[in-house]
Structures are given as structure tokens and as C-alpha cells.
Amino acid sequence: MRAKKVIVLHVRDDIEKEEFMKEVQRLNLSAFIYIHGKLDSLKVNVQGTKEEIREAIRAIRDAHKRVRGRLYPDRKGLYTYYPEDIFREANANISLPILIKTLELLGERVEVKEDYIKSSMPWREIVELVRRLNEVLSQIALQTTRQIREVVVPVSVVYNIDPEELLDLLVDLGIAEYKEDKFKYELVKNKEQALKELLEYLEGEKDEDRSDKEGRELA
């Protein structure tokens, strides 16, 4: 038996409306949904069987919750993101550890939960960041292992260094080696130690450059 139910969702601005509508369009629901927008609300008309309506309303409220979580920070200034939403919006396929480590290196606050993450980086910025990470990853994906990618990709983006140069640097520092039989670069140390040594080297180089610059200015 067909039925109908109407719910009203309050929204803050047009951006929230647009993001919500995009989420609803992605939902694969059996119920018929019609949405009418007003100044500060959305009137959602759902038609179908009782079970279809229950399923649709549950999915619609969840979609709205996800949208609000990523657009508006909580009391600690953190946005709530579901990784699949970020990767889909960025049209990218990277691992979550790469994203987390990059955010940490950028000085952003990050909290990792079971199904989602919280970060101080706003939605549009984190989507653009993932796109950049994906571009770097695509350059070295075929010639690297997962472990070395989780070191090279974040550092490449944060320090704006070509990933190929970083691979050569890792070999020069004795942190990685090129396996001729596998045609791949691999770490010879664990990921955490490799990243620590690479960052120490880069920070040392930065300090040295700064000292040289200051010396030239004094001269």
C-alpha cells in the first residue's frame, strides 16, 4: 500500500542545500522523493510503501547529518568527515593513512574514529588536498610499495618536492633501496623511522638554507 510522509530539514545557507541535494541524488532509494526548497529549510516529500518511506527518511537524515558535519565545525573547531565522501568528491583513490599523515604534517588537528575522521581543515580544502595527493600518488604508484608511498606522498605535497626526487633522496640516505627484480622502491626501515629520518634531513636542510640566507643579508 502506497503512503506519503513529509519532513522538514532546516538549513543555514545555499551551500548546505547544494551539498545536501548532491548527497540525495547519490542515494539509491526505492521511494519517490520530491524536495522543495525555502529560505532556511527544505521540505522533503517521500512517497512509497511504509518500509520504503522508513528507509528513505533514515537515509535522508543521515545524508543531512553528514553534510552538516563537514560544513560546520563542532565546539572544538573540528569538521566531521567520512573518508568515502572526501574521496568521491575529489574523484581520487588514496589510502586513509596518507591523508591522515599529510594533515598532521600540515599542522592540522586530526582525530580518527571507527567510521569517520575529524579535522580542523575545512571541506573544500581537504577535497583539494586529496586531489593533490592523488596526483602525486599516480606518479609513483607503479614503482613503489604501499609502505614507501605512505612516506613519500605526504612529504611530497607538504614540502612541495617532486616525488621522484624524494625516492632518490631516500636511497641516498639509506632509508630505501630499488629492487631490480621487482622494479620497485622499498623501505629498508620501518615506515615510522623512515619518515622521522627523512623529516629530520629536510628540516636540517631548511635550517641550513635559512642560515645561509641570514648570513648573506648580514654581509
Side-chain angles (χ1 to χ4, degrees), residues 198-216:
L198 177 59
L199 293 177
E200 286 176 349
Y201 175 82
L202 293 174
E203 288 300 320
E205 287 286 293
K206 186 188 296 184
D207 291 341
E208 191 172 308
D209 290 344
R210 189 181 299 116
S211 296
D212 289 344
K213 182 179 179 181
E214 290 173 353
R216 287 193 298 272

Side-chain angles (χ1 to χ4, degrees), residues 33-127:
I33 300 171
Y34 173 76
I35 301 177
H36 176 66
K38 294 186 177 182
L39 184 62
D40 59 353
S41 65
L42 293 169
K43 188 176 181 180
V44 184
N45 188 312
V46 185
Q47 299 179 27
T49 66
K50 289 184 178 181
E51 182 57 36
E52 288 172 345
I53 291 174
R54 277 196 296 269
E55 178 188 354
I57 290 177
R58 184 166 54 247
I60 288 168
R61 290 193 185 281
D62 180 65
H64 191 218
K65 177 182 175 183
R66 290 163 85 112
V67 167
R68 291 181 69 86
R70 69 190 184 217
L71 291 182
Y72 311 122
D74 61 18
R75 293 179 180 177
K76 295 191 294 184
L78 301 177
Y79 301 87
T80 301
Y81 300 125
Y82 289 81
E84 61 269 24
D85 292 345
I86 304 174
F87 300 151
R88 182 180 59 223
E89 184 72 15
N91 192 25
N93 184 24
I94 66 170
S95 70
L96 186 57
I98 286 178
L99 174 58
I100 297 301
K101 181 51 64 179
T102 306
L103 290 168
E104 291 174 347
L105 291 178
L106 287 170
E108 299 287 346
R109 287 178 292 157
V110 188
E111 294 180 5
V112 182
K113 307 298 183 179
E114 186 174 351
D115 298 320
Y116 59 91
I117 65 172
K118 285 179 170 286
S119 174
S120 54
M121 179 173 283
W123 171 245
R124 289 301 168 196
E125 292 181 27
I126 203 169
V127 169

Side-chain angles (χ1 to χ4, degrees), residues 157-174:
V157 169
V158 172
Y159 285 79
N160 195 28
I161 302 174
D162 185 276
E164 299 278 0
E165 292 182 17
L166 279 177
L167 289 173
D168 291 338
L169 177 59
L170 286 172
V171 173
D172 291 342
L173 294 174

Side-chain angles (χ1 to χ4, degrees), residues 109-200:
R109 287 178 292 157
V110 188
E111 294 180 5
V112 182
K113 307 298 183 179
E114 186 174 351
D115 298 320
Y116 59 91
I117 65 172
K118 285 179 170 286
S119 174
S120 54
M121 179 173 283
W123 171 245
R124 289 301 168 196
E125 292 181 27
I126 203 169
V127 169
E128 184 56 36
L129 175 64
V130 167
R131 287 180 180 143
R132 289 169 56 203
L133 290 169
N134 191 61
E135 290 174 2
V136 171
L137 177 63
S138 66
Q139 293 181 50
I140 62 170
L142 296 179
Q143 57 182 322
T144 54
T145 61
R146 178 179 58 83
Q147 291 286 318
I148 199 170
R149 287 195 292 269
E150 291 179 3
V151 172
V152 171
V153 176
V155 173
S156 173
V157 169
V158 172
Y159 285 79
N160 195 28
I161 302 174
D162 185 276
E164 299 278 0
E165 292 182 17
L166 279 177
L167 289 173
D168 291 338
L169 177 59
L170 286 172
V171 173
D172 291 342
L173 294 174
I175 299 173
E177 60 184 6
Y178 183 72
K179 297 287 187 179
E180 297 283 353
D181 56 331
K182 299 178 182 178
F183 303 103
K184 286 183 182 292
Y185 288 90
E186 293 183 0
L187 294 178
V188 296
K189 300 184 178 182
N190 67 57
K191 182 177 63 177
E192 290 73 20
Q193 184 62 30
L195 181 61
K196 180 175 181 290
E197 292 186 20
L198 177 59
L199 293 177
E200 286 176 349

